[in-house]
Amino acid sequence: MDMKKRIHLELRNRTPSDVRELVLDNCRSVEGKIEGLTSEFVNLEFLSLINVGLISVSNLPKLAKLKKLELSDNRISGGLDVLAEKLPNLTHLNLSGNKLKDISTLEPLKKLENLKSLDLFNCEVTNLNDYRESVFKLLPQLTYLDGYDMEDREASDSDGEVDGEGVDDDEDEEGEEEEDEDGEEEDFDEEDDDEEDEEEVEGEEDDDEVSGDEEDDEFGQDGEVEDEDEDEDEDEEEAEAGKGQKRKRDAEDEDDDEDDEEDD
């Protein structure tokens, strides 16, 4: 994809003045030059042109607010004087993997008064004796060269980013932490609900057992009551039967007495 088309796609129906970051990595430059990028990108702060086949940056438009420029893995060998002219507020510059051979090619960067970090990894100039000392001497405004300061202390993440980017990362992390906390709270709530459900189920089972025992007791008591009633009925029947036999015997005795009187 050529650079012009890529810029059009990156706009996504926005106007150039709305764009703060523009990434054009791996697209094709025309004759090794930047094409399609204009000074209408007045609010652009971050521009990435990694591996686009650049030989020259002479076609760079003036971007007064640009702070970070990525130009690694191209074929740039000089002509850096245009950077100070077009990008006066540049703070981070990455020229790793280009064709820079001599310290003198970096001299135009002296005019970038706000330049804080410079990367030259995999450039031939890094093989020179006293390379680091020479670059820091040439560019006294530099704080970090290839990610380390003069005392070989590594650059912090905040120093390695354009102003404003670190803040967004912190906000994202805080948002993730809040989501995690909310998720944990929900998990705890679900566990509590599960425990309550289990307790309710156990309680219902216990109630069923108790009610079953009570029913058995009631049945047992009813059975005993019924047995007692049956015994009382049998006693009454026996008593009635005994009375009947007694009345029968008495009647027979009376008949015998009458017979004896007649004989007399």
Side-chain angles (χ1 to χ4, degrees), residues 147-204:
Y148 291 85
D149 65 11
M150 291 183 68
E151 306 298 327
D152 287 333
R153 288 175 297 200
E154 189 173 3
S156 63
D157 292 337
S158 59
D159 290 328
E161 298 294 338
V162 177
D163 295 340
E165 292 183 0
V167 175
D168 294 338
D169 293 340
D170 293 340
E171 290 178 355
D172 292 340
E173 289 177 1
E174 289 176 1
E176 290 175 1
E177 289 176 0
E178 290 177 0
E179 290 178 1
D180 292 340
E181 290 176 358
D182 293 340
E184 290 176 359
E185 289 177 0
E186 290 177 0
D187 291 340
F188 289 137
D189 292 340
E190 290 178 359
E191 290 178 1
D192 293 338
D193 292 340
D194 292 340
E195 291 177 358
E196 290 177 0
D197 293 340
E198 290 178 359
E199 290 176 358
E200 289 178 1
V201 171
E202 291 177 357
E204 290 176 359

Side-chain angles (χ1 to χ4, degrees), residues 47-78:
L47 175 62
S48 185
L49 293 164
I50 298 173
N51 190 33
V52 297
L54 285 184
I55 296 173
S56 170
V57 291
S58 60
N59 284 15
L60 259 177
K62 185 165 185 176
L63 303 169
K65 292 189 176 181
L66 195 73
K67 295 181 179 180
K68 186 171 183 178
L69 178 61
E70 292 278 350
L71 294 172
S72 59
D73 299 326
N74 285 292
R75 295 177 288 166
I76 299 168
S77 58

Side-chain angles (χ1 to χ4, degrees), residues 9 14 17 26 28 47 53 97 106 133-134 140-141 149 166 181 185 189 212 226 239 244 249 253-254:
L9 290 175
R14 297 177 294 174
S17 61
N26 303 312
R28 293 192 303 271
L47 175 62
L106 304 175
E133 291 81 357
S134 299
Q141 76 273 35
D149 65 11
E181 290 176 358
E185 289 177 0
D189 292 340
E226 289 176 359
R249 284 195 298 272
D253 292 338
E254 288 178 357

Side-chain angles (χ1 to χ4, degrees), residues 4 7 18 25 28 36 53 65 79 86 116 123 126 150 159 165 181 193 195 198 212 229 243 246-247 252 264:
K4 274 187 176 181
I7 291 173
D18 294 331
D25 300 347
R28 293 192 303 271
K65 292 189 176 181
K86 303 291 181 68
K116 183 179 180 180
C123 293
T126 61
M150 291 183 68
D159 290 328
E165 292 183 0
E181 290 176 358
D193 292 340
E195 291 177 358
E198 290 178 359
D229 293 341
K243 290 178 180 178
K246 184 177 180 182
R247 286 194 297 270
E252 290 176 353
D264 293 337

Side-chain angles (χ1 to χ4, degrees), residues 207-264:
D207 292 341
D208 292 341
E209 291 178 359
V210 171
S211 60
D213 294 339
E214 291 176 354
E215 289 178 0
D216 291 340
D217 292 341
E218 289 177 0
F219 289 145
Q221 291 173 357
D222 292 342
E224 291 175 1
V225 171
E226 289 176 359
D227 291 341
E228 291 176 359
D229 293 341
E230 289 178 359
D231 292 340
E232 290 178 357
D233 293 340
E234 289 176 359
D235 293 339
E236 290 177 358
E237 290 176 359
E238 290 177 358
E240 291 291 335
K243 290 178 180 178
Q245 291 177 357
K246 184 177 180 182
R247 286 194 297 270
K248 187 177 180 180
R249 284 195 298 272
D250 292 339
E252 290 176 353
D253 292 338
E254 288 178 357
D255 291 339
D256 291 337
D257 292 339
E258 289 176 357
D259 292 338
D260 292 336
E261 288 177 2
E262 289 176 359
D263 292 334
D264 293 337

